[in-house]
Amino acid sequence: QKEVEQNSGPLSVPEGAIASLNCTYSDRVSQSFFWYRQYSGKSPELIMSIYSNGDKEDGRFTAQLNKASQYVSLLIRDSQPSDSATYLCAVNIRGAWNNDMRFGAGTRLTVKP
Amino acid sequence: EAGVAQSPRYKIIEKRQSVAFWCNPISGHATLYWYQQILGQGPKLLIQFQNNGVVDDSQLPKDRFSAERLKGVDSTLKIQPAKLEDSAVYLCASSFRQRNTEAFFGQGTRLTVV
């Protein structure tokens, strides 16, 4: 089982819709979770971090964490064509004592005008 | 605040040659990471430093890859000799401390081995 798994996509949504991106992880001691956005040919850019169960909202982005189910998701409301990118889920696989961050393969999102 | 600096941005070498990449993290960031990202895949951690000590190098191919972080600031990653499968983007990232903090990436070095 991979440490961090994401649906590879591609995921296509119309402009203005909600995009839902999902991620599961294997290590139960994981404490911190991150979502990065990566445009083609660019480096990953941090968009959200979440550490506690529940929802965390930042503008049009909402991260959701369920540690019991080992599941983290990212919702993008009112999707825009500029949101078209690959979204990477990253998990600290060793818990709080070491920031050993592992990435999923990424989900490619396309927002169609 | 200046971001993570990497150089060179691009490098093309022949197989069996050697190559080195340089990274300067965000000022004050104690933790530094080197990732390898092959096209279409997520970043793969190669090595993690805390100040100038190695925290994790379990996925570093030590027969050909080496890395150092002298004085706990700048870092270099070297490949010798390079193989075709080393073609990838090499990303450097840094975080303020070792526990539960976000990492910020540099622009990366795109390596092509021919």
Side-chain angles (χ1 to χ4, degrees):
Chain A
Q1 182 184 8
K2 293 182 180 178
E3 293 166 325
V4 182
E5 292 202 61
Q6 296 181 250
N7 293 331
S8 60
L11 175 65
S12 180
V13 300
E15 184 174 355
I18 296 175
S20 178
L21 304 161
N22 304 314
C23 174
T24 58
Y25 59 95
S26 60
D27 192 338
R28 288 190 172 273
V29 302
S30 298
Q31 296 289 328
S32 50
F33 309 86
F34 309 93
W35 283 99
Y36 286 81
R37 177 176 61 198
Q38 187 172 29
Y39 292 115
S40 181
K42 302 295 185 181
S43 61
E45 170 193 14
L46 179 69
I47 53 173
M48 291 284 286
S49 59
I50 187 166
Y51 304 100
S52 303
N53 279 328
D55 295 358
K56 179 181 178 182
E57 186 174 319
D58 184 1
R60 296 185 296 109
F61 298 95
T62 299
Q64 300 174 317
L65 175 61
N66 184 328
K67 291 185 180 180
S69 300
Q70 296 176 238
Y71 175 91
V72 59
S73 66
L74 179 70
L75 300 178
I76 307 174
R77 292 183 301 281
D78 188 23
S79 296
Q80 302 296 309
S82 59
D83 294 327
S84 297
T86 295
Y87 289 81
L88 298 164
C89 173
V91 176
N92 174 353
I93 66 163
R94 295 187 186 177
W97 299 105
N98 184 12
N99 215 25
D100 190 346
M101 193 158 58
R102 303 298 174 98
F103 284 81
T107 299
R108 180 178 296 180
L109 172 66
T110 300
V111 181
K112 295 186 175 180
Chain B
E1 180 183 72
V4 177
Q6 288 189 248
S7 68
R9 290 292 310 279
Y10 307 93
K11 191 75 176 179
I12 301 174
I13 62 171
E14 295 182 351
K15 59 184 179 183
R16 292 187 290 274
Q17 286 188 325
S18 62
V19 64
F21 313 126
W22 173 84
C23 173
N24 181 253
I26 293 171
S27 178
H29 280 197
T31 306
L32 184 148
Y33 313 83
W34 283 102
Y35 286 88
Q36 179 194 59
Q37 187 173 27
I38 293 172
L39 187 64
Q41 299 181 17
K44 171 189 169 183
L45 180 68
L46 293 176
I47 188 167
Q48 178 187 355
F49 291 95
Q50 177 68 14
N51 296 310
N52 60 348
V54 175
V55 174
D56 183 358
D57 63 356
S58 59
Q59 299 189 98
L60 186 73
K62 298 180 185 63
D63 58 333
R64 298 184 300 105
F65 286 65
S66 64
E68 61 181 8
R69 190 183 184 195
L70 300 176
K71 301 180 181 178
V73 182
D74 293 7
S75 177
T76 57
L77 176 70
K78 297 179 181 179
I79 307 175
Q80 181 178 15
K83 293 185 175 181
L84 296 177
E85 58 261 36
D86 298 331
S87 295
V89 175
Y90 291 84
L91 295 162
C92 180
S94 69
S95 62
F96 178 63
R97 58 178 186 268
Q98 191 173 359
R99 294 167 51 181
N100 282 343
T101 56
E102 302 94 341
F104 298 92
F105 284 84
Q107 291 183 303
T109 297
R110 183 177 298 276
L111 173 68
T112 302
V113 183
V114 297

